[in-house]
Amino acid sequence: MEQPPETIVASSRRSRRLQLTFGLGFAVLAVSLSLAVSVGAVAVPLSTVWGIMFNKLIPGIVAADWSAGREAIVWDIRLPRAILASLVGAGLAIVGASLQAVTRNPLADPHLLGISAGGAFGAILALLHTGLFIGLLTVPLLAFLGALGATLIVLAVSQIAAATSADRLVLAGVAVSFIVMSGANILIFLGDPRATQTVVFWMLGGLGLAQWSQLVYPLVIFVGCGLFLLASARKLNAMTIGDETAATLGIPVGRFRLTIFVVGALITGVMVAFSGIIGFVGLMIPHIVRLIVGGDYARVLPVSALCGAIFLVWADILARTVMAPDDIPVGIITGLIGGVFFVWLLGRKPN
């Protein structure tokens, strides 16, 4: 059966608009990453930034007329940090979008539902008490287990308290988040005082510990879990309508919702392990994206990843430049912006 001409034209327009959005988004991300590497306490010209990167990728392609110190700043410090910022922002954004779908709650976010707090608890446990008993994988593993544990506690509390509504689920998440963070604070209090300052800065969200050797972990998790979520876009669309509609389409609602929570815990746990607690990215970005591309999750998820990456890169630029040469924890920047957005969202009239 052929589609009406009006439908074909509308579909073509949506496709062109999506392509334009992606093209513009990738261009903005490339510019943002370049500026993130260029600006800071020691400014590096953009031409030098690109020259160093090209020379590292293809040795000898550019005449090295820069100092070894500038090369170290660009390649060893700022570029891994900018890439980590983009990965964390993209990961938290798609988690927030997915949670908002399966809970049908516009306020769902890994930070508000206690998932980030659980990841922080696991990471602090590894950093201050257990040690790296399986090497560099220890912190991401325990962060994931902590995030998963917090997720299961939130789900259990919501069942015990009959908190089936969207608002009550968020309240259950906030309550569990406070409890888990209290446990994390106890771990800090009982830990080595010499490591406390580093952990506290990490708890506020920081990207200064980014290293090339560690970027593979958030990259692999983001790509693998992101592809799974994108493949589940049709199911996420159905979940936004209601459990009954999703069930009639053959979706095992309870199992699928739990799967999304576990995938969200995995992404959040690994991101928290390398960046600390960064809140409100998963709350803000999906709402902004839906205003641009609509509610189809085949578009919402990739555009959310792109916008989340851009947002956190710029948040980190602000964190490094507002009080240069000192770094403000990036979680403070996202908290300030996210808090204002949260208030706006609460006061927004539903359609």
Side-chain angles (χ1 to χ4, degrees):
M1 182 177 180
E2 294 184 0
Q3 293 180 332
E6 296 81 2
T7 303
I8 297 175
V9 171
S11 177
S12 177
R13 286 177 178 174
R14 286 195 298 268
S15 178
R16 287 197 300 269
R17 184 178 179 183
L18 184 62
Q19 291 174 1
L20 180 61
T21 301
F22 271 118
L24 180 61
F26 279 114
V28 172
L29 179 60
V31 171
S32 301
L33 289 172
S34 300
L35 290 174
V37 178
S38 176
V39 302
V42 177
V44 180
L46 285 175
S47 58
T48 302
V49 169
W50 283 102
I52 292 172
M53 289 192 291
F54 279 125
N55 214 39
K56 284 290 185 178
L57 296 175
I58 308 176
I61 193 173
V62 179
D65 57 353
W66 50 80
S67 66
R70 282 194 169 183
E71 180 172 317
I73 290 173
V74 169
W75 187 257
D76 296 327
I77 299 174
R78 290 184 184 170
L79 186 56
R81 177 170 179 156
I83 294 175
L84 179 61
S86 62
L87 287 173
V88 173
L92 294 178
I94 62 173
V95 171
S98 302
L99 292 177
Q100 288 166 16
V102 297
T103 62
R104 297 190 304 281
N105 186 341
L107 302 180
D109 166 80
H111 184 64
L112 293 178
L113 290 180
I115 302 176
S116 295
F121 181 91
I124 292 169
L125 181 65
L127 291 170
L128 295 184
H129 295 280
T130 66
L132 304 182
F133 56 90
I134 56 172
L136 293 176
L137 285 174
T138 307
V139 177
L141 176 61
L142 290 189
F144 162 64
L145 293 177
L148 180 60
T151 301
L152 295 177
I153 293 173
V154 171
L155 294 176
V157 169
S158 65
Q159 291 294 322
I160 294 172
T164 54
S165 69
D167 294 339
R168 284 184 171 271
L169 181 61
V170 171
L171 290 176
V174 171
V176 171
S177 179
F178 275 113
I179 295 171
V180 174
M181 286 308 300
S182 295
N185 289 333
I186 292 174
L187 292 179
I188 294 174
F189 179 76
L190 297 176
D192 186 351
R194 291 171 295 181
T196 298
Q197 185 176 358
T198 302
V199 173
V200 169
F201 181 85
W202 174 86
M203 283 181 64
L204 297 175
L207 301 165
L209 300 179
Q211 300 177 23
W212 283 113
S213 60
Q214 298 178 356
L215 289 180
V216 63
Y217 301 115
L219 175 62
V220 169
I221 294 299
F222 169 72
V223 172
C225 294
L227 290 175
F228 170 80
L229 292 175
L230 189 60
S232 304
R234 184 185 65 84
K235 295 180 181 179
L236 291 170
N237 287 335
M239 293 292 288
T240 61
I241 301 173
D243 288 0
E244 296 80 5
T245 302
T248 58
L249 294 174
I251 300 173
V253 173
R255 188 171 67 204
F256 180 68
R257 181 179 288 115
L258 180 60
T259 300
I260 295 300
F261 268 101
V262 172
V263 171
L266 177 57
I267 297 175
T268 304
V270 172
M271 299 305 171
V272 165
F274 292 101
S275 68
I277 299 178
I278 298 176
F280 293 108
V281 177
L283 174 68
M284 293 185 292
I285 300 302
H287 284 282
I288 297 171
V289 167
R290 280 190 284 265
L291 293 175
I292 301 172
V293 301
D296 184 357
Y297 270 76
R299 299 191 298 266
V300 169
L301 287 172
V303 178
S304 291
L306 194 55
C307 292
I310 294 170
F311 170 75
L312 198 57
V313 167
W314 276 100
D316 188 49
I317 290 175
L318 287 175
R320 291 189 290 111
T321 56
V322 169
M323 296 181 63
D326 294 326
D327 281 5
I328 300 175
V330 71
I332 294 177
I333 302 295
T334 62
L336 287 172
I337 299 172
V340 174
F341 185 88
F342 189 80
V343 172
W344 171 82
L345 192 61
L346 287 174
R348 187 182 179 209
K349 293 181 180 180
N351 296 328

